Amino acid sequence: MQKLYLGIADSLLMRMFGRPKGVLGRLGGIILAHTKHDFTQRVIHLLDVQPQDKVLEVGFGPGVGIQMLAGAASRGLIAGIDVSKEMVAQATSRNAKAIKAGLVQLQHGSVEQLPFSDRTFDKALTINSMQVWFDVMAGLQEIRRVLKAGGKIALGFTPQSRQSKVGLLETLELAGFTEITFVETQQGFCVLAKKSWEETQSCF
Ligand SMILES: C[S@@+](CC[C@H](N)C(=O)[O-])C[C@H]1O[C@@H](n2cnc3c(N)ncnc32)[C@H](O)[C@@H]1O
């Protein structure tokens, strides 16, 4: 019986926060928009976003991180992909001005199949999202593909994500990332990694 209740709780949480859908998803987005601003800001700071950077956020949810990124890369480009139509709607309305100005582009889609050319972005980030991707390895390899040589990725997790640190370094290495470091913060942890220069240069 306890297993059944846990199963129901998990599927409600998935509908509310994991891949927000319907009324519960709408409510989940409103809650997400009012939590962990400091953590999101810290992850963006650790990613060292510069004014002219092209940045990709995967799983942007209600779009608060996108708003912060638009402030940090004000002369660059912010692109976002989220698998939830509800989150695309909330983030689009939250970032309407920056979208109109051409600074922000938000799309519905999944990380496992990114609609961008190879070597498009300087930086990429994802916060409390990787733990619910359909295929983590495929998602990480896609992000690596669209990063420029030397490009940087930040993966942020608060305890609510229930993401374990165990095996994360090996997963990132297998996906082709290097210079992997873990940073502990007051609200969670962030993993930083790079797409190496050497491998891309050897392709030419
Ligand atoms: C817990 S929410 C986090 C939202 C936001 N990053 C934040 O910290 O508030 C997870 C987000 O990842 C998105 N997501 C889940 N699986 C995805 C996938 N395969 N591709 C892209 N986005 C995905 C969900 O739709 C949701 O918006």
Side-chain angles (χ1 to χ4, degrees):
M1 201 58 162
Q2 200 190 0
K3 246 185 177 175
L4 176 69
Y5 285 136
L6 285 175
I8 294 171
D10 273 353
S11 79
L12 285 178
L13 284 173
M14 182 59 85
R15 226 180 154 75
M16 213 165 170
F17 302 113
R19 290 191 278 275
K21 203 173 171 185
V23 180
L24 277 180
R26 215 164 300 153
L27 181 63
I30 293 167
I31 295 170
L32 285 171
H34 291 92
T35 53
K36 64 175 172 3
H37 287 198
D38 291 353
F39 182 71
T40 305
Q41 196 73 70
R42 179 95 170 99
V43 173
I44 290 171
H45 177 74
L46 288 168
L47 192 57
D48 192 26
V49 175
Q50 298 299 308
Q52 282 162 344
D53 276 346
K54 285 187 174 181
V55 188
L56 169 67
E57 182 172 6
V58 170
F60 50 70
V64 174
I66 294 282
Q67 230 175 359
M68 294 177 185
L69 286 168
S74 53
R75 296 197 298 279
L77 176 77
I78 317 302
I81 278 282
D82 198 294
V83 81
S84 157
K85 287 186 179 162
E86 186 56 52
M87 292 304 94
V88 175
Q90 288 193 14
T92 298
S93 124
R94 176 160 284 109
N95 291 280
K97 221 170 140 188
I99 292 171
K100 205 168 170 211
L103 175 63
V104 168
Q105 295 173 359
L106 303 180
Q107 295 186 59
H108 174 243
S110 194
V111 66
E112 294 84 1
Q113 221 173 351
L114 292 173
F116 306 108
S117 307
D118 296 359
R119 300 184 282 274
T120 301
F121 298 100
D122 301 287
K123 315 261 163 75
L125 78 153
T126 185
I127 297 176
N128 281 1
S129 177
M130 195 192 82
Q131 76 282 354
V132 288
W133 293 352
F134 300 107
D135 183 337
V136 168
M137 186 52 68
L140 288 173
Q141 286 173 340
E142 268 295 85
I143 293 179
R144 187 181 173 282
R145 177 183 68 76
V146 302
L147 275 175
K148 294 177 186 172
K152 200 169 172 185
I153 184 174
L155 308 161
F157 301 100
T158 63
Q160 289 75 31
S161 71
R162 292 189 257 164
Q163 173 67 49
S164 165
K165 287 183 200 121
V166 178
L168 211 45
L169 180 116
E170 291 78 5
T171 304
L172 278 158
E173 274 177 349
L174 257 179
F177 286 98
T178 56
E179 296 182 46
I180 302 159
T181 52
F182 284 68
V183 180
E184 294 291 339
T185 80
Q186 275 186 343
Q187 288 181 283
F189 70 97
C190 177
V191 191
L192 298 162
K194 275 191 175 176
K195 173 174 177 173
S196 70
W197 291 96
E198 295 82 25
E199 211 175 316
T200 315
Q201 279 166 353
S202 68
C203 295
F204 294 110

